[in-house]
C-alpha cells in the first residue's frame, strides 16, 4: 500500500468502468486511480489509524512542551538568583521574585522596567560593554557591580549575561543572572578585620605583659607568685620592703618562710580561685611579726593536647582531658600597720562622738526641764520676797520665809548648773589669769576639807592668760575638788591643785578633742579610791554617780564637761582603782590683754509712776506674781496668759502701753511671734523677752526681730523691776 505524505491530503480521480456483475444493467462501476473501491476503503482506514497515532504523539509532545514551560517558569521564578530576560535595548521583559526583591524592595520604589538605571554610575559603561560582548560571543560576566536597591540603598553583585535565540525578533534577548556578593564581601572584610584584630591583639598582648610587669613592680602591695610546689617565683619590690628580704634571696624559697598560715590554708585545697583570705600574721626575714591582709588568685593550667595516634588505644580517651600540668598562685599582701593605727584613731573619735551626742541629748533634755523649773522657782522666790516685805521684823514667820528663800536659791543654783551643762547659758569669756581664780577657790575648798586631808596648791609662774568666765571656771574647780574630797572618804590623803602650761600635738590633742597648740593646764590630783575603766567611760553622764544617796547629784562632772566645751577646751582623766585620780583641764592660751574690772553701778530705786506694762506668760503663777510685784512698785500692769488675746488687746489700743514683756516658750504662739506682731503694730514699743532656756541662737533671733532686752529666769524681783524701769526710761538702750 502506498504511503501518503503526512503534510498532504490524498487526491482521488474518479472514472467509470464496467463492473463484472453489472453487465446486464449498466455494465459499468467506479474505478479510483486504478484502485478498486474496496481497496481504497482499506487504505483510507489504515491512513486514518496512522493519523490517530500521529495525533496522539503530537498531543504528548504538546503536553511535554507545556510541562517543560511550566517547569522553566517555576525554576525561573523560584531559583535563589536574581534572573531577568533583557533585550539588547535594556528593556526587562521578565524578572523573577528574587530580582524584584533586590531591585524593588518596596512597592513605592521605581519599577524594574530597564536594567541600566539600576546600575551604579561608575559601572554603567562596563555593563554596556558586557551586553555587547554577550551579543557577539554568547556570554559575558561583570564582577562586583554596584546596583541600586530602590530607595533603600545599594548592593554589590556579580552580573552573568547569556544570549538566547530569538528568531521571531530582530532584537537579541539575554538571560541575566545577578548574584548578591554582599555576604561574601562581608565575610571577606570580616576576615581582613579579624587578621588586623589578631595582629593588634598580639601587639596588645606584648604591651599587656610589659604593663603587667610594670604594675607588679610599682604596686604598693606585696605581690608573690608561687608554683604548684609553693615555691616563690615572683617577688616584687613592695614584697622586698615588707618582708625585708632581697628578691634574689626570696626566689625559690617556700611561701611558709614568710606566710606560714597562708601556706597551710593553700595546702588544704579549699581556697577558691579568687578569694579574700583576710588578716594573717607574716614573718620578715629577720623574724619580726607583722600583720597583713591577704588575697589570692589561683590559675590552674590544663593538660596540653596530645597528638592522635591510631596505634595507641588510650589516645582517644586522653585527648583533650583536663589535668594538672601545673598551677600558679598569686598572693597579694597588704601591710595593715597604718590601717590598724587609723582604726584605733577612728574608734577613739567614734567614742568621742558618742559621748558628745550623749551630752547633747542630755543637755537638750536638761534645758527643757530647766525651762519649766525656772517658772516654778521664779514664782517661789518672787512670792517669798513679797512675803518678806509684808512680814514685820522679828516675826517667827520671817525665819521660815528666809529658809524658803535659801532653799529656792539653792534650787536656782542647781538649775544654773543644768543650764551650764546643756550649754544654753553662754559664758562671758574675757582674758583672765587662772591663778587668781585658783586662789579665790582654794579659800572655799579649805572650809570643806576634813582634818585628815592634806590640801596643796602648786601654781607655776608666768602662765599666759586664757579666755574664760571666772565664775564658771571656779564652779568647775569646786566640783573637781569636791569629788576629790569625796573620793578620799574617811581615809587620810591629799588633794592637789596644779596650774601649768603645755603644748599639745598629735595624736594626744585628737584624743581629747582639741586642736594642737599651747594650753594652760588646771589639774586636780587626789590619792583616793580611784576609778575603773568602765566608770571612767560614764563619769560625764548627767546624774551618773557612784556615791551614796545624799552625797551627790551626779551633775558635777557633767557640768565640768559642759564648761570645758563652752571654753573650747578639753578634759583628760587618768585613774585606776586604789591609785587615785587626776583630772586635767586644758584651756587655750591667749595673747589678749586683761580686762579692767568695772565699777559696780549704784542700785537705783524703782518707781513705776503709773507707766503701763503688758506682761504675757502661759504660767498662771508667774502672771499672778509679776502683776503683784510691778503693781507694788507703782506700775500699771495688764497681764495675759494667752498670747493671742494679748495681741488682740495690743492691736485695739497700741498707744496705752509703755512696755511689753513676753515669755519666749509658749505653746502655739511663741514670744518671737508676739514680738514680731507687736513691732508691726507699733514699731517704737519696747519689748523684752523672758525665758529660762535661752540659747545663743534664740538670743540672736530675738535681737534681730527687735527685742530690747532678754530676761533670764529665775531672777530676783528687784532685778525684774530694774529691767522694766530701764526699758521704759531708755527704750533705745542696748540690752
Amino acid at each position: 500500500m502506498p504511503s501518503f505524505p503526512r503534510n498532504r491530503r490524498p487526491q482521488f480521480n474518479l472514472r467509470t468502468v464496467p463492473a463484472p456483475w453489472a453487465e446486464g444493467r449498466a455494465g459499468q462501476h467506479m474505478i479510483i486511480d486504478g484502485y478498486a473501491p474496496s481497496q481504497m476503503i482499506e487504505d483510507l482506514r489504515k491512513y486514518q489509524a496512522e493519523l490517530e497515532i500521529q495525533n496522539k504523539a503530537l498531543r504528548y509532545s504538546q503536553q511535554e512542551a507545556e510541562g517543560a514551560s511550566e517547569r522553566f517558569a517555576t525554576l525561573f521564578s523560584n531559583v535563589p538568583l536574581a534572573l531577568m530576560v533583557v533585550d539588547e535595548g535594556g528593556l526587562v521583559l521578565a524578572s523573577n521574585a528574587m530580582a524584584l526583591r533586590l531591585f524593588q524592595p518596596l512597592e513605592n520604589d521605581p519599577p524594574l522596567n530597564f536594567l541600566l538605571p539600576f546600575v551604579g554610575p561608575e559601572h554603567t559603561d562596563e555593563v554596556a560593554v558586557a551586553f555587547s560582548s554577550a551579543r557577539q560571543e554568547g556570554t559575558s560576566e561583570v564582577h562586583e557591580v554596584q546596583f541600586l536597591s530602590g530607595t533603600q540603598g545599594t548592593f554589590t553583585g556579580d552580573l552573568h549575561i547569556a544570549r538566547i535565540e530569538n528568531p521571531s525578533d530582530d532584537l537579541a534577548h539575554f538571560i541575566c543572572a545577578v548574584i548578591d556578593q554582599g555576604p561574601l564581601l562581608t565575610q571577606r572584610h570580616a576576615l581582613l578585620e579579624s587578621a588586623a584584630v589578631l595582629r593588634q591583639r598580639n601587639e596588645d598582648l606584648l604591651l599587656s605583659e610589659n604593663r603587667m610587669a610594670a604594675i607588679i613592680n610599682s604596686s604598693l602591695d606585696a605581690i608573690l607568685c608561687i608554683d604548684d610546689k609553693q615555691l616563690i617565683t615572683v617577688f616584687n619590690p613592695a614584697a622586698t620592703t615588707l618582708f625585708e628580704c632581697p628578691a634574689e634571696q626570696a626566689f625559690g624559697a617556700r611561701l611558709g618562710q614568710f606566710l606560714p598560715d597562708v601556706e597551710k590554708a593553700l595546702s588544704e585545697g579549699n581556697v577558691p580561685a579568687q578569694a579574700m583570705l583576710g588578716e594573717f600574721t607574716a614573718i620578715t626575714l629577720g623574724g619580726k611579726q607583722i600583720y597583713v591582709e591577704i588575697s589570692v588568685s589561683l590559675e590552674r593550667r590544663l593538660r596540653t593536647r596530645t597528638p592522635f595516634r591510631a596505634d595507641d588505644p588510650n589516645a582517644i580517651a586522653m585527648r583533650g582531658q583536663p589535668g594538672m600540668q601545673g598551677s600558679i598562685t598569686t598572693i597579694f599582701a597588704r601591710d595593715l600597720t597604718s590601717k590598724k593605727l587609723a582604726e584605733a584613731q577612728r574608734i577613739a573619735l567614734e567614742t568621742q562622738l558618742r559621748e558628745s551626742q550623749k551630752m547633747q541629748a542630755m543637755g537638750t533634755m536638761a534645758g527643757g526641764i530647766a525651762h519649766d523649773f525656772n517658772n516654778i522657782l521664779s514664782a517661789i522666790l518672787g512670792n517669798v520676797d513679797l512675803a518678806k516685805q509684808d512680814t514685820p521684823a522679828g516675826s517667827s514667820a520671817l525665819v521660815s520665809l528666809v529658809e524658803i528663800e535659801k532653799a529656792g536659791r539653792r534650787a536656782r543654783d542647781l538649775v544654773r548648773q543644768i543650764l551650764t551643762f546643756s550649754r544654753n547659758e553662754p559664758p562671758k569669756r574675757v582674758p583672765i589669769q587662772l591663778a587668781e581664780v585658783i586662789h579665790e577657790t582654794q579659800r572655799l575648798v579649805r572650809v570643806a576639807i576634813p582634818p585628815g586631808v592634806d590640801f596643796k596648791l602648786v601654781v607655776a609662774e608666768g602662765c599666759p592668760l586664757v579666755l574664760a568666765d571666772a565664775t564658771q571656771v571656779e564652779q568647775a574647780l569646786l566640783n573637781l575638788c569636791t569629788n576629790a574630797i569625796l573620793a578620799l572618804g574617811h581615809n587620810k590623803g591629799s588633794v592637789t591643785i596644779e596650774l601649768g602650761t603645755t603644748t599639745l600635738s598629735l595624736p594626744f590633742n585628737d584624743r581629747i578633742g582639741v586642736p594642737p597648740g599651747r594650753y594652760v593646764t588646771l589639774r586636780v590630783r587626789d590619792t583616793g579610791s580611784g576609778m575603773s575603766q568602765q566608770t571612767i567611760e560614764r563619769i560625764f553622764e548627767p546624774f551618773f554617780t557612784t556615791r551614796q544617796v545624799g552625797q551627790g547629784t551626779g551633775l558635777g562632772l557633767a557640768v565640768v564637761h559642759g564648761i570645758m566645751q563652752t571654753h573650747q577646751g578639753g578634759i583628760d582623766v587618768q585613774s585606776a582603782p586604789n591609785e587615785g585620780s587626776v583630772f586635767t583641764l586644758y584651756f587655750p592660751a591667749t595673747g589678749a590683754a586683761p580686762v579692767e574690772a568695772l565699777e559696780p553701778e549704784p542700785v537705783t530705786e524703782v518707781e513705776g509712776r503709773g507707766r503701763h506694762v503688758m506682761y504675757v506668760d502661759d504660767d498662771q503663777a508667774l502672771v499672778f506674781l509679776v502683776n503683784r510685784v510691778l503693781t507694788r512698785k507703782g506700775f500699771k500692769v495688764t497681764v495675759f496668759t494667752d498670747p493671742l488675746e494679748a495681741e488682740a488687746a495690743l492691736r485695739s489700743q497700741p498707744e496705752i502701753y509703755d512696755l511689753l514683756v513676753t515669755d519666749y516658750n509658749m505653746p502655739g504662739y511663741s514670744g518671737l511671734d508676739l514680738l514680731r506682731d507687736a513691732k508691726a503694730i507699733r514699731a517704737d514699743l519696747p519689748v523684752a523677752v523672758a525665758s529660762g532656756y535661752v540659747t545663743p541662737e534664740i538670743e540672736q533671733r530675738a535681737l534681730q526681730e527687735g527685742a530690747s532686752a532678754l530676761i533670764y529666769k529665775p531672777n530676783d524681783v528687784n532685778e525684774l523691776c530694774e529691767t522694766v524701769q530701764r526699758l521704759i526710761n531708755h527704750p533705745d538702750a542696748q540690752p
Side-chain angles (χ1 to χ4, degrees), residues 121-340:
E122 63 274 13
H123 296 98
T124 302
D125 295 339
E126 188 176 0
V127 171
V129 171
F131 272 99
S132 177
S133 176
R135 178 181 177 85
Q136 296 176 3
E137 300 178 4
T139 60
S140 181
E141 296 180 359
V142 184
H143 297 286
E144 297 187 7
V145 179
Q146 188 175 19
F147 294 98
L148 302 180
S149 180
T151 58
Q152 297 298 312
T154 61
F155 69 93
T156 302
D158 293 346
L159 176 62
H160 298 266
I161 306 172
R163 189 187 65 210
I164 57 178
E165 297 297 336
N166 185 25
S168 62
D169 196 348
D170 294 336
L171 293 176
H173 289 182
F174 305 92
I175 181 75
C176 298
V178 178
I179 302 175
D180 187 7
Q181 296 294 330
L184 295 178
L185 291 176
T186 301
Q187 294 179 2
R188 189 183 306 165
H189 293 159
L191 290 175
L192 294 176
E193 291 178 359
S194 298
V197 169
L198 183 59
R199 289 193 299 270
Q200 184 63 38
R201 285 183 178 178
N202 291 333
E203 296 177 0
D204 293 343
L205 181 60
L206 180 60
L207 292 176
S208 178
E209 292 177 353
N210 296 334
R211 190 180 302 112
M212 182 61 66
I215 291 174
I216 291 176
N217 291 332
S218 60
S219 174
L220 298 179
D221 293 337
I223 299 178
L224 298 82
C225 292
I226 59 174
D227 56 16
D228 53 349
K229 297 181 181 179
Q230 294 194 348
L231 300 180
I232 298 175
T233 59
V234 174
F235 203 77
N236 73 336
T240 300
T241 304
L242 179 62
F243 297 106
E244 300 176 357
C245 176
E248 296 78 8
Q249 190 172 349
F251 290 145
R254 294 193 61 85
L255 177 64
Q257 180 178 349
F258 303 103
L259 298 167
D261 295 335
V262 177
E263 182 184 43
K264 181 179 178 181
L266 294 177
S267 299
E268 294 175 356
N270 55 358
V271 178
Q274 304 287 336
M276 173 66 73
L277 300 185
E279 295 185 10
F280 285 85
T281 301
I283 303 175
T284 64
L285 184 63
K288 183 177 66 176
Q289 287 189 350
I290 57 176
Y291 294 95
V292 293
E293 186 180 49
I294 299 296
S295 58
V296 297
S297 175
L298 277 68
E299 177 188 357
R300 293 181 173 87
R301 296 180 178 177
L302 300 179
R303 176 181 288 116
T304 57
R305 186 178 295 272
T306 57
F308 177 78
R309 293 183 298 172
D311 56 348
D312 186 0
N314 298 324
I316 297 178
M318 295 293 295
R319 186 175 175 87
Q321 290 187 357
M324 290 302 296
Q325 186 193 23
S327 63
I328 296 178
T329 303
T330 304
I331 301 171
F332 303 88
R334 175 167 298 178
D335 188 7
L336 295 181
T337 304
S338 300
K339 181 179 179 181
K340 285 192 172 295

Side-chain angles (χ1 to χ4, degrees), residues 24 42 99 294 353 417 457:
E42 185 66 24
I294 299 296
L353 178 61
Q417 285 188 354
L457 192 65

Side-chain angles (χ1 to χ4, degrees), residues 220 357 544 551:
L220 298 179
Q357 291 174 343
F544 173 79
Q551 290 188 354

Side-chain angles (χ1 to χ4, degrees), residues 365-383:
M365 181 190 70
I369 295 174
H371 167 257
D372 295 335
F373 201 32
N374 272 333
N375 291 339
I376 299 173
L377 289 177
S378 296
I380 292 174
L381 293 176
N383 283 286

